[in-house]
Amino acid sequence: MCVNAKIMSSKPFTPEEARRIVQFLQKPAVFLNMTTDWPALHWSVEHLSACLTERIRFRVGKRSEDMAPLFETECSYVEATIKEFLSWTANDGEPFVGPFSDYHCKEFWAYADYKYIAQLFQDKPAMFQDVVWSDFGFPGRDGCDSTLWIGTQGANTPCHLDSYGCNLVFQIQGRKRWHLFPPDDTACLYPTRVPYEESSVFSHVNVIRPDLKKFPAFGRARLHTVTLQPGQVLFVPRHWWHYVESVDPVTVSVNSWIEMDMDDQARVAEALTRTIVFAVKSSPSLDNSDQWLNPTEDRVSSHDENMQYLNLAVKACTNKKRDDTEDQPKAEAVKRDSSGVIKSPVSPFGPHLIPVCLTEKPECSSTKETCCFSCTDSPQCQITTKDQDKLRSDNKLGQRSGQSALQETESPGGSTEMHISTNDVLDCLVHPDVIALVTRLIMCRQRVLHS
């Protein structure tokens, strides 16, 4: 008991303090010295290869200078054990025999991502306790509520935002580079739901090598970067965009998505999005034959199933709001900003919690069209608030959006015609702003009908 008390007192934040930070903080930050006694610190890829002998699925991508993001529908997939994966990464140009034999380790990266620890180690449940999220104020949450990520240098996750909750990421081996953008920059990230993955909104932009001619608004996106070191925990607030890339030969990390009260309405929005995407993409047409369903999705559900899911989500959200209204007099008075988000009364930053800061912009032109990454601080390229508001307004729905966006085609008579594809229409129909508006209308309509 005394030893445990001593360990707890050595943590820079108590569980209650850490949970309050996670609930109230609206900017990404890195927790230091919170995992020094976690057994999962020893989960190196060598250790995991001895614990997990079954084959798992690795996503494989070619190292490329292409300016288009490599979505999961465009990757190859390999079933291999972690031991076979390790042998492949250690291969120094010699011919390799095994599951990765078609992929040279110098030309391709591999990523075992989104692996649910509850499934990986179902026969070793004691390992769940190696991940101690209770230190962050979430009692009972451990490895069973987490996912495992194992990758090589260059392995990456396409830029996206998560529809639900916030994210805690524990880095174990190697380093990962995180590129983050605030929710207010969604218009600059050119969101898309193709490929479709439940709760993930992808960006059309390669945020590392952006094509500013095709995606000019991205030049105004406010980039925040951090290289996460072993032992550190990154907090990613709700709806922050992120692109993640492994920068060391082998990386291992564990994350857990933390539910939030606002997720109830977000689930209605996701159910609505699913209904629209599946209805549009399931309709055969000449320009509607792409691989639009992410490999993480099991199947194409029917319209009736999607409508049933939507109705269940609306019912759950309505009941939750009713319960919240009944409990409102007992609730603690809190301050909220204009969007209803709870404000944190005190800044928690210090030696053990480091904010992920806005990245200094690279050299940029003085013209508004080509300057990049928060040029508002530069006297040579001032962008007024009015300019930014107009930019967001112009780009939210009508801007070119997507790999096939508003392609120009030559007609037999020599004139140029604009071709609007199915995916272009879909990007507008399920744009986050449109879905948010329709979700509010649906919820208002339900309240009126049942009042």
Side-chain angles (χ1 to χ4, degrees):
M1 180 69 69
C2 294
V3 174
N4 289 338
K6 185 177 180 180
I7 290 175
M8 288 297 294
S9 64
S10 67
K11 301 278 183 177
F13 301 101
T14 66
E16 294 75 20
E17 290 170 338
R19 178 165 184 148
R20 185 169 179 82
I21 291 170
V22 170
Q23 289 178 325
F24 293 160
L25 193 61
Q26 300 299 307
K27 294 182 178 180
V30 177
F31 285 89
L32 307 182
N33 304 315
M34 287 291 288
T35 64
T36 52
D37 60 334
W38 286 21
L41 272 176
H42 304 293
W43 282 17
S44 66
V45 71
E46 291 81 8
H47 175 79
L48 292 172
S49 68
C51 299
L52 186 64
T53 57
E54 294 83 6
R55 289 190 166 184
I56 59 176
R57 196 183 200 195
F58 288 85
R59 180 163 56 94
V60 180
K62 189 173 180 61
R63 305 179 193 275
S64 171
E65 298 295 321
D66 192 358
M67 288 195 291
L70 185 64
F71 292 122
E72 294 172 54
T73 51
E74 301 166 303
C75 292
S76 301
Y77 290 85
V78 170
E79 301 283 338
T81 65
I82 298 180
K83 185 176 181 180
E84 290 169 329
F85 165 76
L86 266 177
S87 298
W88 177 67
T89 61
N91 182 44
D92 192 18
E94 297 297 324
F96 183 79
V97 178
F100 291 97
S101 58
D102 293 335
Y103 307 98
H104 197 293
C105 63
K106 302 296 183 184
E107 298 178 9
F108 291 86
W109 50 259
Y111 209 7
D113 50 359
Y114 294 101
K115 304 305 177 189
Y116 288 94
I117 293 175
Q119 297 175 5
L120 291 179
F121 302 116
Q122 55 185 327
D123 58 339
K124 300 180 179 68
M127 291 188 67
F128 299 161
Q129 300 175 23
D130 291 0
V131 183
V132 195
W133 295 119
S134 57
D135 282 353
F136 286 83
F138 300 97
R141 182 179 290 266
D142 55 22
C144 188
D145 310 285
S146 309
T147 54
L148 179 69
W149 308 67
I150 303 172
T152 64
Q153 184 179 26
N156 63 82
T157 305
C159 185
H160 69 286
L161 67 80
D162 300 312
S163 302
Y164 307 141
C166 59
N167 197 357
L168 287 174
V169 185
F170 170 40
Q171 192 63 30
I172 298 174
Q173 180 178 356
R175 298 167 299 160
K176 278 186 174 178
R177 184 76 166 170
W178 284 73
H179 305 250
L180 301 112
F181 304 88
D184 287 347
D185 286 354
T186 291
C188 303
L189 271 296
Y190 297 82
T192 182
R193 297 310 299 261
V194 178
Y196 175 79
E197 178 182 80
E198 201 268 341
S199 79
S200 294
V201 183
F202 292 105
S203 169
H204 278 299
V205 185
N206 180 335
V207 299
I208 302 299
R209 304 176 190 88
D211 185 345
L212 293 181
K213 291 184 178 179
K214 189 173 184 180
F215 306 109
F218 182 74
R220 270 75 168 195
R222 292 163 290 179
L223 171 65
H224 297 64
T225 57
V226 65
T227 300
L228 199 62
Q229 310 283 339
Q232 297 179 345
V233 173
L234 174 66
F235 165 63
V236 181
R238 186 175 187 266
H239 286 181
W240 272 71
W241 292 85
H242 48 283
Y243 167 85
V244 191
E245 184 175 20
S246 297
V247 297
D248 283 330
V250 175
T251 62
V252 178
S253 57
V254 168
N255 88 297
S256 189
W257 286 282
I258 308 297
E259 301 84 2
M260 303 183 75
D261 290 340
M262 291 173 282
D263 289 345
D264 295 289
Q265 188 154 326
R267 295 188 190 282
V268 176
E270 276 301 302
L272 175 62
T273 299
R274 183 185 187 91
T275 301
I276 296 173
V277 171
F278 279 43
V280 173
K281 294 302 291 183
S282 297
S283 302
S285 64
L286 293 177
D287 71 343
N288 205 19
S289 58
D290 56 335
Q291 296 183 32
W292 59 273
L293 194 66
N294 220 46
T296 52
E297 296 293 316
D298 294 334
R299 63 186 179 88
V300 179
S301 51
S302 68
H303 183 69
D304 287 341
E305 289 175 303
N306 293 331
M307 287 302 298
Q308 183 180 15
Y309 180 43
L310 174 60
N311 276 278
L312 289 173
V314 170
K315 182 178 179 180
C317 187
T318 302
N319 292 340
K320 179 67 164 55
K321 286 183 178 297
R322 188 180 298 118
D323 293 341
D324 288 346
T325 301
E326 293 174 357
D327 294 340
Q328 192 171 2
K330 304 175 185 178
E332 179 185 356
V334 293
K335 294 182 178 180
R336 299 175 182 266
D337 62 18
S338 58
S339 61
V341 176
I342 299 174
K343 290 184 176 181
S344 176
V346 180
S347 173
F349 297 125
H352 302 290
L353 185 68
I354 311 300
V356 178
C357 297
L358 189 69
T359 302
E360 278 192 38
K361 61 184 180 297
E363 290 185 15
C364 62
S365 167
S366 61
T367 60
K368 294 176 184 176
E369 288 75 19
T370 58
C371 69
C372 309
F373 305 126
S374 186
C375 290
T376 51
D377 296 331
S378 171
Q380 282 81 24
C381 35
Q382 288 290 328
I383 302 177
T384 66
T385 302
K386 183 178 180 180
D387 292 330
Q388 293 179 350
D389 291 343
K390 184 178 186 303
L391 175 72
R392 292 193 174 96
S393 175
D394 289 344
N395 281 280
K396 278 191 175 181
L397 298 178
Q399 189 77 23
R400 289 176 54 131
S401 174
Q403 297 169 344
S404 60
L406 299 181
Q407 299 170 353
E408 293 185 1
T409 57
E410 187 85 6
S411 67
S415 61
T416 300
E417 296 178 353
M418 300 300 290
H419 172 67
I420 300 176
S421 71
T422 300
N423 284 359
D424 296 327
V425 173
L426 194 59
D427 279 348
C428 294
L429 288 176
V430 294
H431 187 284
D433 289 346
V434 175
I435 290 295
L437 174 60
V438 177
T439 299
R440 288 195 295 271
L441 291 173
I442 287 176
M443 298 306 301
C444 288
R445 184 174 184 272
Q446 290 301 306
R447 285 195 292 270
V448 170
L449 290 176
H450 299 284
S451 59

